[in-house]
Amino acid sequence: MKRGLKYVGRCGYRTIYVNLDVYEKALDAAWKTGKSLNEFINEFLYKLVGQSGVAPKVEADYGRLKREFLGLVRETQALVKTLRDLGTYEQLTGLAFSLGLKEDLSNMREIVPKIMEAWTGDQDSLSVFIDLLETSHRKREVQKALNEIRKSQYTSYGVSCQAGG
């Protein structure tokens, strides 16, 4: 039975109630596919109602990218903290930029061998710094992909979701 007109045009998500044993089995099945439970259920529901297409894929990618981005932010912060604790963060960043590293890290692959050759300090610090560069580069790629998805989501609808619907 369909809902009344007061729900037409409302934005957001809905709550459903599921038996605990079904929930746990669905959670396990989602985990085995590498998806969040939300992504797993949304894909199932789209298939159930006969809607295939881009929406579930975009939503799944968006959710995955958001989680990946948050993890990369945390990893980047931890690597910077480690290098600062070792007392080599400023030295290594200074060396990298003096060797021509661009702010957007687009030339990282050419500069890393130069850093490895020029660095005379602690090899642990060098390894952590290279990890930081790789992680930061991936973080930028994920952020760029997220921004593209967000632009398409917010410009394709032409309608904004406002509080109170």
Side-chain angles (χ1 to χ4, degrees):
M1 181 177 209
K2 293 194 176 201
R3 295 272 184 155
L5 287 176
K6 79 178 198 175
Y7 292 99
V8 173
R10 298 275 306 239
C11 297
Y13 300 95
R14 299 290 176 250
T15 303
I16 61 171
Y17 297 93
V18 180
N19 290 335
L20 184 58
D21 59 328
V22 173
Y23 171 81
E24 289 173 351
K25 288 178 184 177
L27 190 60
D28 185 48
W31 182 81
K32 288 178 183 175
T33 63
K35 298 176 183 171
S36 71
L37 182 58
N38 188 50
E39 293 167 352
F40 187 75
I41 290 173
N42 276 321
E43 285 182 16
F44 173 77
L45 291 175
Y46 273 103
K47 289 176 187 172
L48 183 68
V49 298
Q51 280 186 334
S52 59
V54 181
K57 177 77 171 124
V58 170
E59 287 179 22
D61 286 347
Y62 183 62
R64 181 187 57 79
L65 286 171
K66 285 189 339 183
R67 286 189 304 279
E68 183 180 357
F69 182 75
L70 183 59
L72 290 168
V73 167
R74 289 180 178 148
E75 187 176 348
T76 301
Q77 291 171 339
L79 291 168
V80 168
K81 182 182 182 319
T82 300
L83 287 169
R84 285 204 166 120
D85 290 348
L86 292 170
T88 54
Y89 176 76
E90 286 77 15
Q91 293 172 329
L92 281 161
T93 53
L95 175 63
F97 287 115
S98 73
L99 292 172
L101 183 66
K102 294 180 181 175
E103 286 287 331
D104 66 356
L105 307 177
S106 61
N107 64 339
M108 181 185 78
R109 298 210 183 278
E110 297 110 43
I111 300 300
V112 167
K114 292 178 183 179
I115 296 170
M116 292 173 73
E117 190 175 306
W119 180 250
T120 58
D122 178 29
Q123 292 300 302
D124 289 345
S125 294
L126 177 61
S127 181
V128 172
F129 185 71
I130 293 169
D131 289 347
L132 174 62
L133 291 176
E134 293 166 347
T135 303
S136 298
H137 188 263
R138 177 65 187 152
K139 185 179 78 157
R140 284 180 181 266
E141 291 174 344
V142 170
Q143 187 174 37
K144 201 180 295 183
L146 277 171
N147 288 341
E148 289 302 314
I149 292 173
R150 288 174 176 149
K151 283 179 190 175
S152 69
Q153 283 181 336
Y154 292 112
T155 57
S156 64
Y157 294 116
V159 176
S160 64
C161 295
Q162 298 175 355

